[in-house]
Amino acid sequence: MPEQVIDLNGPAGNAFFLLSRAADFAEQLGLDGDAIQDEMTDGDYENLISVFTKYFGDYVTLER
């Protein structure tokens, strides 16, 4: 999967967008997307970003 950049200051920074992308990336990588989404939503927005980065930080750069 080629590295991508997501600008958190724009519409792509929306939590629902990030959850959707996490599901897509998880499927591509053979990971459990439901479990990752549950972990992402088990806290505030900063937790969501942290969990997203934990699983997909090697493939996606989140810019603030």
Side-chain angles (χ1 to χ4, degrees):
M1 181 165 68
E3 186 171 347
Q4 300 180 25
V5 176
I6 296 176
D7 181 2
L8 296 177
N9 294 310
N14 177 293
F16 295 109
F17 177 84
L18 292 171
L19 287 164
S20 173
R21 296 303 297 146
D24 293 342
F25 293 143
E27 183 177 336
Q28 291 175 31
L29 296 169
L31 302 173
D32 184 346
D34 290 335
I36 292 170
Q37 287 182 323
D38 287 346
E39 188 176 346
M40 288 174 71
T41 57
D42 189 28
D44 60 10
Y45 183 75
E46 290 304 317
N47 175 72
L48 183 135
I49 299 298
S50 175
V51 174
F52 187 97
T53 301
K54 177 173 100 174
Y55 287 100
F56 310 114
D58 290 340
Y59 311 102
V60 181
T61 299
L62 300 178
E63 291 186 343
R64 293 183 183 244

